[in-house]
Amino acid sequence: MKVKIKAKFFAMPRDYQGERELEMEVSEDFQQALEEIDSRTKIGIKEKLDKRFVILINGRNYRKVLEDKGKLEEGDNLAFVPFLGGG
Amino acid sequence: MSNNKYFGYAGKILTVDLSSSDYVVEDTPFDLIVNFMGGKGFGAKILYDELKPGCEPLSEDNIMVVATGPLTGTLMPASGHVTLSTKSPLTGIWLDSHCAGFLGPELKMAGYDAIIIKGKAKKPTVLVIKDDGVSFEDGRDLWGKFTFESQELLRKKYGENCQFMCIGPAGERKARFANIVSGGRGFGRGGSGAVMGSKNLKAVVVKGTRGIGIYDLDGFMRMCTEAYNELTVSPDTGGGRPKYGTNSIYSFMIEAGAHPVKNFQTGVFEAVKECNEDVLDKKYYKRHIACFSCPINCSKASRVDDGKYKGKFTEGPEYENMWSLGAQCGNSNIGSIIYGEHLCDEYGLDAISTGNVIGFTMECFEKGILSEKQIGFPVKFGNDEAIIKFIEMMAKGEGVGELMSQGVRQMSKELGKGTEKFAMHVKGMEIPAYDPRGAFGMGLAYATSDRGACHLRAWTLGAEILDVRNRIDPFATEFKAELVKSQQDFYAVIQSAVVCLFLNFGLTQRQITRCLQSLTGIKEWKTTEDILKIGERIYNLTRLFSMREGISAKDDTLPQRLLREPTKEGPTKGVVVDLDTMLKEYYLIRHWDREGRPTKEKLTELGLDKYK
């Protein structure tokens, strides 16, 4: 099943991508969705996820969210955020 | 070369008495070094032992300890910091304040690990410290002048290569959250500028040409190279931060619902579309600025090129001030934030407290608690011109600005009418730019921070939101006590070492221990545990200091808004902070009793028996 999500890019992932956000339709299965997002963006999910940046789903760490609900839902916001410290 | 006895240290402490225009120079005691390291640690030990309990912070009895640490002024990246410890006129408790730039290294090169400033000068004075020479000079011609003009005049008089600490009109009139400015940076939070003003001390001029001895030169240089490499490849200190400055986290904090808006009434800031780090980078940042020995370049020179603030400029704006003069006041006009931050620096006001107080005042106005007649003009959220007017009024003590400049705690006390529920402070210190309803750890961090609400005693958001290994839930209470305690102890080490906290975003605790070991050769500092014990000792001593000034467990709390008033929208919708559960665990882990007092056993373990 496909769901509409919003991919938002922050700091360095935004530099790789060249835009702030992108709406797209992806599979509700998270792994499948990641591959689809990877093929449609320039941020390099395969090499850089969990090494250079992390994904927040609706503001929360994606691993935690997936433990709780297992898959993506219509209208989810996926934020690609590098590991950053305080300001 | 240095004439010190200890590697990594200047070896001397200068004590200045402004009342008698006298000074003494003494050796830095080795037991002070081994047990308290430097910076904040020196301040904690010296102030606890020498400051009269209950002393009025703005009287001549208060003491200022300006201290460097072993890493200050070395080739270690980010080693340009210096600390100042005193009793805060804003909170009435412990205050340590940290300044970036170049002052710390200069002070160490002048031959001092610390200067202890006591008494009160009879007339406005400039203290001049050059290598071994100390003089007390007439500062009357500078009194009343802005900080940048004052520094420019001092530079002309004492030489291009001097460094300064200087107060502006706000410090002179003892505004309770007045800053001390050094170059374009400052000793922020808690009102150290007012303490300096109360001592009639307009400025300190420092020039030094000595060196620092290194225990294991090859080993230390290897560590400096390793640190440099780590910092430059890190996605933070080598990526987002050099490009966007401290605003690298700006949009992300709004995404996580952790960026408070309109005095913490919501976490949703629609204006992020036109007010964000990308716009800053493309339109306002003109060049990068680095502190002493730092590859991060997190500071930015910004200028406004069009609109009603055309021509205004600042060194910044920092993330904190983008919030305090921005979202906190419902304001998305970046030009006004740049001008507002510049004005805070010129007058010598803490921009976090300044913006927090303005947001509170705006809410009071919208709720009908303060009228247009009382204020003099309408001040709804988003009114950028009102923000600029308020800064001037607070700095000069004009109209309602006089009350505002006493801080949000005092303001709500005088206004009454339930305003204490949304007066956003802890122990009198205005809360900075993170909403604990977006990450509970920050709630515990604010409630237990030794100087009142502060994000630089523990910054838990990275671990709560970004950390992929631990997966700590930001909206749960588990593991927060451990997280906050371990960060507080480690940050106390960084602030005693004395380096920038951003080194912490590139280096591990183990690497920092190895840096200290190769620099000083101190055999008591072999392991990370040895180092963290020093941090824990310092954190317990600052706690004892503040308890002696009257605080107890009942003060380890948060404003009611964060505990009982859930936000109505965004990622934090419906959330309030469960502080009690975290606090109980925190006391247990710290070995503090139910009153929040360190137990006798803990004090013995930390070598603080005499403070039982």
Side-chain angles (χ1 to χ4, degrees):
Chain A
M1 195 167 138
K2 294 280 183 183
V3 289
K4 269 193 195 141
I5 59 118
K6 201 180 270 181
K8 296 181 172 181
F9 308 102
F10 294 85
M12 302 329 280
R14 183 168 61 238
D15 283 356
Y16 308 144
Q17 180 62 18
E19 57 194 328
R20 287 182 72 82
E21 60 182 62
L22 204 58
E23 283 191 29
M24 56 175 92
E25 205 171 72
V26 296
S27 302
E28 63 176 9
D29 176 79
F30 186 70
Q31 287 308 327
Q32 185 93 32
L34 276 191
E35 285 185 23
E36 290 160 15
I37 298 169
D38 201 24
S39 69
R40 285 188 246 167
T41 60
K42 303 172 201 157
I43 59 175
I45 292 176
K46 275 191 193 116
E47 319 90 85
K48 297 193 184 110
L49 179 61
D50 292 350
K51 296 189 187 85
R52 307 291 294 176
F53 59 76
V54 66
I55 302 171
L56 306 184
I57 303 177
N58 303 326
R60 301 177 76 189
N61 193 295
Y62 76 103
R63 290 180 185 267
K64 184 75 198 158
V65 176
L66 293 174
E67 272 175 19
D68 294 345
K69 69 173 193 179
K71 56 185 180 181
L72 292 175
E73 288 172 5
E74 184 80 9
D76 275 348
N77 281 327
L78 270 64
F80 295 81
V81 186
F83 298 102
L84 295 167
Chain B
M1 236 343 259
S2 70
N3 62 350
N4 58 8
K5 290 190 287 187
Y6 315 117
F7 296 108
Y9 287 85
K12 302 281 180 196
I13 292 177
L14 167 70
T15 303
V16 171
D17 185 349
L18 292 168
S19 302
S20 59
S21 298
D22 252 341
Y23 69 92
V24 288
V25 178
E26 291 164 300
D27 287 346
T28 308
F30 188 63
D31 61 344
L32 182 68
I33 289 174
V34 170
N35 294 312
F36 294 93
M37 194 175 282
K40 176 174 183 164
F42 279 14
K45 170 75 172 147
I46 292 166
L47 282 182
Y48 196 98
D49 288 350
E50 296 197 18
L51 199 67
K52 206 160 53 178
C55 105
E56 160 54 40
L58 296 177
S59 73
E60 63 185 307
D61 293 336
N62 202 359
I63 298 170
M64 300 164 74
V65 180
V66 183
T68 63
L71 287 173
T72 312
T74 66
L75 277 180
M76 180 56 59
S79 61
H81 271 228
V82 61
T83 72
L84 188 156
S85 307
T86 190
K87 181 173 171 183
S88 163
L90 180 67
T91 64
I93 60 171
W94 167 261
L95 173 67
D96 60 302
S97 178
H98 303 258
C99 182
F102 298 83
L103 175 66
E106 201 71 41
L107 181 60
K108 204 156 160 189
M109 299 307 166
Y112 302 109
D113 295 316
I115 39 176
I116 304 172
I117 302 171
K118 299 179 171 178
K120 177 184 179 180
K122 288 174 187 69
K123 57 175 193 289
T125 295
V126 175
L127 177 65
V128 181
I129 300 168
K130 286 192 171 185
D131 286 324
D132 277 344
V134 176
S135 59
F136 301 81
E137 309 211 356
D138 195 337
R140 280 179 294 186
D141 55 334
L142 296 178
W143 204 255
K145 288 194 169 25
F146 284 133
T147 59
F148 293 140
E149 188 190 356
S150 299
Q151 291 184 94
E152 205 41 53
L153 290 167
L154 289 166
R155 195 169 284 117
K156 278 191 189 134
K157 189 167 178 186
Y158 296 103
E160 273 300 310
N161 297 322
C162 294
Q163 298 299 328
F164 313 101
M165 47 193 287
C166 171
I167 56 168
E172 291 170 12
R173 73 161 207 87
K174 302 182 273 285
R176 297 264 163 174
F177 47 84
N179 269 8
I180 300 167
V181 169
S182 179
R185 312 293 298 221
F187 291 90
R189 316 299 340 256
S192 58
V195 177
M196 201 159 146
S198 74
K199 294 185 174 306
N200 268 333
L201 183 59
K202 175 69 181 179
V204 180
V205 179
V206 184
K207 179 66 203 153
T209 57
R210 295 162 182 277
I212 300 162
I214 311 286
Y215 170 72
D216 167 11
L217 187 59
D218 290 343
F220 185 65
M221 287 307 292
R222 269 197 306 277
M223 286 312 302
C224 291
T225 308
E226 195 174 316
Y228 181 88
N229 290 339
E230 294 273 3
L231 289 173
T232 46
V233 300
S234 151
D236 177 2
T237 52
R241 203 170 293 255
K243 179 162 177 157
Y244 299 106
T246 47
N247 288 299
S248 59
I249 57 171
Y250 185 86
S251 300
F252 149 57
M253 281 299 148
I254 293 170
E255 177 72 14
H259 193 80
V261 180
K262 296 183 183 175
N263 201 33
F264 295 73
Q265 292 186 85
T266 174
V268 175
F269 192 48
E270 293 293 346
V272 67
K273 293 185 188 89
E274 66 263 16
C275 177
N276 57 57
E277 68 279 18
D278 243 359
V279 178
L280 278 169
D281 178 42
K282 291 196 173 80
K283 199 169 165 195
Y284 297 97
Y285 290 169
K286 302 302 175 192
R287 66 181 174 88
H288 307 291
I289 302 175
C291 295
F292 178 89
S293 189
C294 189
I296 305 174
N297 288 291
C298 75
S299 196
K300 309 295 161 203
S302 295
R303 192 184 62 231
V304 188
D305 290 334
D306 51 28
K308 61 181 164 181
Y309 298 102
K310 185 177 175 181
K312 303 300 182 191
F313 58 90
T314 190
E315 181 177 338
E318 297 293 335
Y319 167 78
E320 285 295 331
N321 307 338
M322 273 291 281
W323 165 77
S324 65
L325 304 172
Q328 160 69 359
C329 302
N331 176 32
S332 58
N333 182 319
I334 295 180
S336 70
I337 297 171
I338 286 173
Y339 185 39
E341 188 188 85
H342 176 75
L343 278 180
C344 285
D345 287 345
E346 283 281 39
Y347 282 112
L349 275 177
D350 180 68
I352 297 178
S353 289
T354 296
N356 182 312
V357 171
I358 295 173
F360 172 78
T361 306
M362 287 175 160
E363 187 171 350
C364 287
F365 175 79
E366 291 199 350
K367 286 192 156 72
I369 296 163
L370 275 169
S371 67
E372 187 174 335
K373 198 174 161 200
Q374 283 169 295
I375 296 171
F377 47 92
V379 291
K380 284 195 168 172
F381 281 109
N383 183 341
D384 56 290
E385 289 175 12
I387 294 169
I388 301 299
K389 273 190 204 163
F390 275 141
I391 295 171
E392 304 242 7
M393 288 166 73
M394 279 189 261
K396 295 173 186 166
E398 289 173 356
V400 73
E402 166 56 29
L403 177 58
M404 292 170 77
S405 71
Q406 294 179 34
V408 80
R409 175 171 69 179
Q410 185 59 27
M411 205 177 164
S412 78
K413 207 179 272 180
E414 296 204 13
L415 291 175
K417 299 181 181 168
T419 51
E420 73 284 353
K421 291 176 190 160
F422 58 90
M424 305 309 288
H425 72 91
V426 174
K427 300 184 180 81
M429 178 83 87
E430 287 76 18
I431 297 181
Y434 305 99
D435 192 327
R437 288 168 298 188
F440 283 9
M442 286 313 294
L444 184 63
Y446 290 154
T448 60
S449 153
D450 55 3
R451 66 175 184 177
C454 179
H455 61 294
L456 301 174
R457 299 298 169 272
W459 191 83
T460 61
L461 289 128
E464 289 183 278
I465 298 178
L466 296 177
D467 196 322
V468 287
R469 290 156 302 170
N470 296 323
R471 281 177 258 166
I472 298 175
D473 187 344
F475 303 125
T477 56
E478 288 87 15
F479 311 120
K480 302 300 163 70
E482 291 92 336
L483 180 63
V484 168
K485 183 214 175 255
S486 65
Q487 288 193 346
Q488 286 170 339
D489 291 349
F490 184 55
Y491 285 17
V493 171
I494 297 268
Q495 290 161 344
S496 301
V498 166
V499 280
C500 177
L501 266 180
F502 295 169
L503 194 64
N504 166 50
F505 298 132
L507 293 193
T508 63
Q509 295 184 353
R510 192 157 167 268
Q511 284 172 309
I512 288 173
T513 306
R514 282 167 51 211
C515 294
L516 287 165
Q517 181 52 228
S518 57
L519 171 63
T520 68
I522 291 175
K523 63 181 189 317
E524 288 86 347
W525 295 357
K526 280 218 167 58
T527 66
T528 305
E529 287 68 37
D530 296 334
I531 298 299
L532 289 175
K533 188 65 79 188
I534 298 172
E536 189 179 9
R537 181 178 299 125
I538 294 165
Y539 214 80
N540 277 270
L541 191 53
T542 57
R543 175 73 178 183
L544 290 176
F545 178 96
S546 292
M547 294 198 91
R548 191 171 70 174
E549 298 299 331
I551 66 139
S552 65
K554 71 173 176 11
D555 301 293
D556 295 339
T557 189
L558 296 169
Q560 195 164 318
R561 170 156 288 169
L562 302 176
L563 298 174
R564 301 211 184 96
E565 200 179 299
T567 51
K568 296 181 181 71
E569 53 188 349
T572 61
K573 185 179 173 183
V575 177
V576 287
V577 182
D578 178 2
L579 180 65
D580 282 351
T581 308
M582 294 188 289
L583 201 55
K584 275 182 197 140
E585 273 183 50
Y586 176 86
Y587 283 176
L588 270 178
I589 291 167
R590 276 242 175 257
H591 294 272
W592 290 0
D593 64 20
R594 276 187 299 183
E595 275 309 296
R597 180 174 291 282
T599 59
K600 286 178 180 169
E601 295 74 27
K602 177 49 78 178
L603 293 179
T604 300
E605 181 200 317
L606 295 172
L608 295 172
D609 293 271
K610 75 180 250 202
Y611 301 106
K612 280 178 188 169

